[in-house]
């Protein structure tokens, strides 16, 4: 811990979480001596022989098999071949020079990022004709969750009504600290492992020295993993609420799916996950037989390229997707700025977060009888008319009324409600808690926080109201305070309202595109609810009520999509990960239940575009029958890597096979995505797409074009005719512009319709007459 790491030895990745509204980014300075020795595609040998060969290779460098055994951390033998071991720099260099070794890289650290949401998505159990029932609620599908583990006692993981564990399952439950594999695993939790050797080698201290509670087992001490697992595949639990709010039946998206838990993140310094541990979990999950992998884990800007093994997620997911496993990852919580989306590889299904059509209005009645509405999770007794205080600045002090630096006069605050303002979004989550503590310590009875417009709520103590308002309402309250010598206020308990007039929005925190690695690859892909999601948590979660807690983040949106993918996999077991992504993407909602367009939270709010929400908010029932899909396989992903101009050796390292790109570089614009994104249009260009019919054998589709402003689009052929022998058809799209100046992005769409299906692809085009982009499209 004492020696500094060079930037090349360390990368920070985090669980994509706004934990009760608080985003934590803590850099751990650790000296790395664990290295990952990557040998590429695994040979078709017995796994025991592969492991033996790993020990033999290490022994040639360290001197003996005994020493090799002591230094070996993991042997990767299922999805790919390689191992993690404790090495000096000299030993790592020697290994890198051995025949058969593709690359030796240092280990890296990754860091941690309901009752209404499923009905909002059209998956009500009361409806007999939706995908939830047609898929038998995901029965037989196995969802793997990479996270902080699981709290198995939660009712959300009950096994009532579940049949035997699928016979194809090869995974295991492993006992450990406060986790008994015999009693804690069941027909719902069918697998549970933990991976810590890579992390401990970086941390350099015993597990529980940080002061944070943790278990050396699959048991969850953080709550994040329990929350995400129950959101993806939790069982039905009735009469759940958060302090009486949001009452209903809580469940996962695929309530009859099985869960395989891979604890790769640890409740230390905000949540840490090592690349070596995650790669081992990918290796095991591929062997175990999962169908879907859900990772609420991300990296930090700037991103590593997809061929850089320091991004363990891109590397591990490539091998998983190549074996038909859909990998779902969060887009991250760095919004609303552009170019902040993570997990951008085209083989990953990247998820943005939205609000739902549920709100928690909380009345604020001023002494002039004017009532304003804030948002809160306040279920205590009404605060009758009492004094209302704003800490005015004096002299050179300009911070008095800021929530993050409240300066309070106890004689003025005692028994009164305090108004404060906060400016920075992420700091708001911390400053609200700080302000709440300061007000309570000074004897105050309530807090009103003026902030950027956002529907993400931070709960204070159940009996203490922390009511959030936007700057406009906050300013009205401040002007009222300044207009009278005896300002008064009454705070009423929160109510829950569902449906109109509440409209869903892309959440403020949700990371936005374009991708900073490849802007022509639209990211995020899809959006799902991720704000104020009620799901299971641990018994130690200070914010929980009866074993359930509200959390926000793309961490919460990710398992929504994982659950939907499980339903689609149950209905269409032969669909590829790309086909599933395409089905979700081309059928997504661009409007809310009211029929009005979806907005994206920000400063100011704006109409959402594909860089905010990808295809839109997931529409599971439409995705079950998309009509056509834009399919891809490993060859397509390799063409993408060649289009990115990665060298042959780098691509070979990732794929595990010797690869030589064609002499003529493929166009990244021809990657068979269900979207078309042109980052730099100067002259007329023509791109190609191929669609696969997955509906009735005979079908005729016609193209409907909504061109971006100033952009001309033509499609040939503009009619697609499928029959019993024609299953795939390619078409060309020609794009040109009338713009004579550099522009920002304009948006449109290309939709194929046949009277039953509408297969929609967003168009995003930016004109660059004077090209500043280094990419050659």
């Amino acid at each position: 811990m004492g020696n500094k790491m060079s930037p090349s030895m360390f990368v920070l990745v985090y669980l994509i979480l706004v934990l009760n509204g608080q985003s934590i980014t803590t850099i751990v300075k650790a000296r790395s001596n664990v290295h990952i020795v990557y040998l590429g595609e695994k040979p078709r040998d017995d796994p025991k022989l592969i492991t033996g060969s790993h020990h033999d290779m290490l022994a040639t460098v360290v001197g003996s098999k005994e020493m090799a055994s002591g230094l070996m951390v993991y042997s990767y033998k299922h999805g790919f071949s390689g191992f993690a071991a404790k090495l000096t720099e000299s030993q790592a260099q020697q290994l890198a020079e051995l025949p058969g070794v593709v690359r030796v890289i240092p280990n890296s650290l990754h860091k941690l990022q309901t009752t209404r949401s499923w009905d909002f998505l059209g998956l009500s159990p009361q409806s007999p004709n939706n995908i939830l029932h047609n898929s038998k609620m995901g029965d037989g599908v196995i969802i793997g969750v990479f996270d902080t583990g699981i709290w198995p006692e939660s009712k959300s993981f009950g096994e009532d009504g579940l049949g035997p564990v699928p016979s194809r399952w090869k995974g295991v439950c492993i006992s450990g600290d406060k986790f008994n594999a015999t009693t804690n695993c069941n027909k719902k939790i069918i697998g549970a492992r933990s991976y810590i050797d890579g992390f401990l080698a970086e941390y350099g201290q015993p597990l529980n020295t940080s002061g944070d509670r943790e278990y050396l087992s699959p048991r969850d001490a953080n709550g994040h993993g329990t929350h995400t697992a129950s959101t993806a595949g939790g069982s039905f639990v009735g009469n759940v609420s958060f302090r009486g709010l949001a009452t209903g039946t809580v469940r996962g998206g695929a309530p009859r799916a099985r869960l395989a838990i891979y604890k790769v993140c640890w409740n230390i310094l905000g949540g840490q996950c090592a690349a070596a541990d995650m790669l081992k979990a990918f290796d095991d999950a591929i062997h175990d037989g999962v169908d879907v992998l859900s990772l609420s884990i991300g990296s930090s800007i700037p991103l590593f390229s997809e061929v850089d093994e320091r991004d363990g997620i891109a590397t591990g997911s490539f091998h998983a997707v190549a074996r038909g496993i859909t990998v779902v990852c969060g887009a991250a919580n760095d919004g609303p700025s552009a170019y902040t989306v993570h997990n951008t590889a085209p083989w990953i299904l990247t998820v943005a977060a939205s609000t739902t059509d549920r709100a928690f209005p909380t009345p604020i009645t001023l002494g002039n009888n004017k009532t304003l509405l804030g948002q809160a999770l306040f279920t205590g007794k009404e605060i009758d008319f009492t004094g209302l205080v704003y800490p005015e600045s004096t002299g050179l002090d300009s911070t008095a009324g800021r929530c993050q630096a409240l300066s309070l006069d106890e004689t003025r605050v005692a028994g009164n409600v305090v108004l404060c303002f906060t400016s920075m979004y992420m700091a708001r989550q911390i400053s609200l808690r700080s302000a709440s503590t300061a007000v309570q310590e000074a004897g105050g009875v309530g807090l009103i926080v003026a902030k950027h417009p956002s529907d993400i709520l931070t709960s204070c103590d159940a009996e203490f109201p922390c009511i959030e308002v936007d700057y406009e309402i906050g300013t009205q309250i401040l002007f009222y305070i300044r207009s009278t010598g005896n300002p008064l206020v009454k705070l009423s308990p929160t109510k829950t309202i569902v449906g109109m007039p509440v409209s869903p929005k892309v959440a403020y925190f949700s990371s936005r595109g374009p991708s900073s690695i490849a802007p022509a690859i639209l990211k995020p892909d899809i959006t799902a609810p991720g704000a104020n999601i009620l799901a299971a948590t641990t018994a130690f979660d200070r914010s929980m009520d009866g074993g359930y807690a509200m959390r926000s983040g793309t961490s919460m949106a990710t398992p929504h999509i994982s659950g939907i993918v499980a339903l689609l996999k149950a209905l269409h077991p032969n669909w590829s990960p790309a086909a599933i992504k395409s089905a979700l993407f081309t059928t997504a909602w661009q409007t809310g239940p009211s029929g009005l367009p979806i907005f994206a939270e920000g400063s100011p709010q704006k109409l959402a575009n594909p860089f905010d929400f990808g295809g839109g908010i997931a529409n599971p029932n439409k995705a079950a029958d998309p009509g056509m899909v834009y399919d891809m396989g490993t060859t397509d992903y390799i063409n993408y890597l060649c289009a990115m101009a990665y060298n042959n050796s780098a691509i070979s390292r990732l794929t595990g096979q010797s690869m030589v790109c064609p002499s003529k570089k493929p166009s990244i614009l021809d990657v068979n995505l269900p979207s078309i994104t042109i980052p730099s249009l100067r002259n007329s260009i023509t791109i190609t797409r191929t669609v696969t019919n997955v509906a009735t054998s005979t079908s005729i589709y016609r193209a409907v074009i909504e061109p971006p402003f100033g952009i001309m689009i033509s499609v040939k052929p503009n009619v697609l005719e499928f029959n019993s022998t024609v299953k795939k058809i390619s078409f060309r799209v020609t794009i040109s512009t009338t713009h004579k100046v550099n522009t920002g992005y304009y948006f449109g769409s290309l939709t194929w319709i046949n009277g039953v299906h509408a297969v929609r692809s967003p168009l995003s085009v930016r004109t660059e007459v004077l090209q500043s982009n280094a990419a050659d499209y």
Side-chain angles (χ1 to χ4, degrees), residues 372 421 450-451 453 469-479:
L372 306 169
F421 286 71
K451 62 179 182 63
V469 298
D470 62 25
Y471 286 140
E472 181 181 352
I473 293 177
T475 302
Q476 290 180 44
I477 296 172
L478 178 58
F479 284 3

Side-chain angles (χ1 to χ4, degrees), residues 202-459:
E202 301 295 335
Y203 187 47
Q205 300 180 38
L207 181 61
N208 283 312
T209 56
S210 69
D212 297 310
R213 186 191 306 270
E214 188 50 281
Y215 302 98
L216 194 58
S217 74
R219 181 170 290 280
D220 183 9
N222 180 287
H224 189 274
T226 299
H227 201 281
T228 57
S230 65
T231 301
S235 301
F236 287 91
V237 183
N239 197 31
V240 172
S241 71
F242 183 75
R243 301 174 185 169
L245 300 172
T247 302
T249 297
V250 70
R251 64 177 176 86
R256 295 183 67 84
R258 314 309 170 93
L259 294 170
I261 305 304
Y262 299 87
K263 182 176 177 178
V264 296
C265 300
W266 298 86
N267 189 39
I268 296 172
L269 301 172
Q272 300 286 335
C273 333
D277 296 333
M278 288 201 299
L279 284 171
K280 179 59 177 172
F282 271 114
D283 191 45
D284 285 340
I286 291 169
H287 167 266
D288 293 346
V290 303
D291 299 297
V292 187
L293 280 173
S294 186
L295 286 80
S296 294
I297 305 171
S299 54
S300 57
I301 301 292
L303 305 174
F304 290 106
S305 74
E306 297 96 341
V307 296
D308 191 322
E309 293 90 339
R310 286 174 291 184
D311 182 354
I313 295 175
T315 300
S317 63
F318 181 90
H319 292 282
V321 169
R323 287 160 177 79
I325 301 168
T326 300
V327 180
V328 186
C329 296
N333 299 323
D334 295 333
S337 298
Y339 295 99
T340 54
V341 63
H342 302 182
N343 293 314
T344 60
W347 49 86
I348 292 174
L349 180 47
T350 309
V351 186
S354 74
T355 65
T356 65
D357 60 347
R358 181 177 66 189
F360 302 98
T362 308
I364 302 168
T365 304
L366 303 178
N368 58 7
N369 288 322
K370 184 174 184 178
T371 298
L372 306 169
L373 286 179
Q375 293 274 314
L377 299 172
F378 170 49
T379 56
K381 294 181 180 179
E382 180 176 86
I383 307 295
D384 205 352
F385 280 107
T386 188
L388 178 58
V389 175
Y390 174 71
E392 297 278 6
S393 299
T394 59
L396 298 177
D397 178 14
S398 61
T399 64
R402 294 183 184 177
C403 299
Q404 55 267 41
L406 276 184
S407 177
L408 299 177
D409 180 347
E410 291 188 13
T411 59
R412 291 188 62 209
V413 170
N416 294 329
V417 173
V418 175
L419 168 70
C420 67
F421 286 71
T422 185
S423 55
M424 296 169 56
Y425 173 73
M426 283 309 192
R428 174 182 69 83
Q429 315 305 321
I430 300 172
S431 62
L432 188 148
R433 292 181 178 277
S434 172
S436 170
T437 299
V439 171
Q440 290 182 75
E441 289 178 349
V445 296
L447 175 67
I448 300 172
V449 176
K451 62 179 182 63
H452 283 298
S454 166
D455 287 340
I456 310 308
L457 298 177
T458 302
S459 64

